[in-house]
Amino acid sequence: MEWRDEGILLATARHGEGGLILDALTADHGRRRGLVRGGASRRRAAEFQVGAQLSLHWRARLEEQLGRFQAEALRARAGMVLDDPLALAAMASAAALLVDLLPESEPQPVLYPRSVALFDALAAGRDWREAYARWELDVLTELGFGLDLSSCEATGAAQELIYVSPRSGRAVSREAGAPYRDKLLPLPGFLQLEGASASADAFADALRLTGFFMDRRVLPALGRAAIPAARARLAALATAHAASDASKQD
């Protein structure tokens, strides 16, 4: 069996003498793994960095086998974020979440193009915090745990939505949520406005929001013990950035 596709490199692992196992999210074949002979050589090291866009040719005797990749880098992304620790952490987090949460061989017609757009935004350094937060909402939705942020759970109103119910995953308005605000999750305003930019503080709140539902809904359903370490590092770094920005304003 064989196929050709394009994909985002999510992770690598050395195999034997100079071999490299690639884990990639592909356009038409979902998340797939394959062995590249000689992929761990010094000559090819720069090609196989997390976030790279690859042209892939997969071959195996049976569909369920690991198979072999012939892989060619179409464009690199990791090198473009080396000077931005937060963007680098976001790229690592997105890759780790895709590896940890997506099943193998299941096409992702929604998540694949949105993941490409996110990785491109990270590499370009443009408005990526908003893109990343919305991407995590997409991940929750595609896994069957989407949040409803369109109207208030209690009143149906679409104005002044500033909370999210941890029980239902639905938005709650300022007025309806006031008596229970200590039990509700903050809803960052930029998630209500398409194209709005995210401040450091709002981005940290967005990660706490999506992280809560990953911890409480997604991980138990998938039998996972903990959120990927790369995602935890991103949340910690985002919180530190928000605290640093707040101290500068004081």
Side-chain angles (χ1 to χ4, degrees):
M1 301 190 66
E2 64 179 295
W3 47 259
R4 296 177 185 272
D5 207 343
E6 189 173 308
I8 306 166
L9 180 58
L10 305 177
T12 63
R14 293 184 69 97
H15 181 82
E17 292 293 328
L20 197 66
I21 295 175
L22 307 186
D23 197 324
L25 179 63
T26 67
D28 298 320
H29 296 84
R31 187 172 70 81
R32 300 299 292 260
R33 298 167 73 243
L35 173 65
V36 177
R37 296 289 187 187
S41 68
R42 190 173 302 175
R43 179 179 62 85
R44 303 205 68 185
E47 292 182 65
F48 301 130
Q49 300 294 317
V50 169
Q53 195 74 14
L54 303 176
S55 173
L56 299 166
H57 183 190
W58 183 89
R59 291 180 180 178
R61 189 171 62 86
L62 299 173
E63 176 70 19
E64 60 269 20
Q65 290 181 320
L66 173 65
R68 295 185 182 180
F69 272 143
Q70 288 181 337
E72 177 185 350
L74 300 176
R75 63 182 181 276
R77 296 187 179 101
M80 300 179 184
V81 297
L82 289 177
D83 294 332
D84 185 342
L86 190 61
L88 186 61
M91 186 174 287
S93 174
L97 286 172
L98 291 169
V99 169
D100 207 51
L101 302 183
L102 296 187
E104 286 194 61
S105 307
E106 187 173 302
Q108 301 292 335
V110 173
L111 272 184
Y112 177 75
R114 294 185 183 181
S115 296
V116 170
L118 170 64
F119 278 75
D120 283 343
L122 284 162
R126 62 174 191 273
D127 299 328
W128 67 261
R129 289 189 292 196
E130 182 218 356
Y132 184 93
R134 292 186 184 281
W135 177 84
E136 284 204 351
L137 290 173
D138 290 335
V139 171
L140 288 172
T141 297
E142 292 305 303
L143 292 174
F145 300 96
L147 308 185
D148 183 353
L149 307 180
S150 61
S151 61
C152 176
E153 177 183 31
T155 67
Q159 292 78 38
E160 290 202 298
L161 303 177
I162 66 168
Y163 303 113
V164 176
S165 165
R167 178 183 58 83
S168 66
R170 292 195 59 187
V172 179
S173 69
R174 183 187 305 276
E175 182 179 359
Y180 317 102
R181 59 181 179 273
D182 293 339
K183 298 180 180 179
L184 299 173
L185 301 167
L187 173 57
F190 76 91
L191 292 177
Q192 296 293 302
L193 300 171
E194 198 70 37
S197 60
S199 66
D201 189 53
F203 181 58
D205 280 344
L207 293 182
R208 282 190 284 270
L209 175 65
T210 50
F212 177 89
F213 289 98
M214 286 182 188
D215 278 333
R216 301 297 180 90
R217 305 281 181 83
V218 177
L219 296 183
L222 297 179
R224 301 288 193 272
I227 205 161
R231 171 54 168 76
R233 284 195 296 271
L234 172 62
L237 194 57
T239 299
H241 274 237
S244 176
D245 277 13
S247 66
K248 291 175 183 177
Q249 294 172 10
D250 291 342

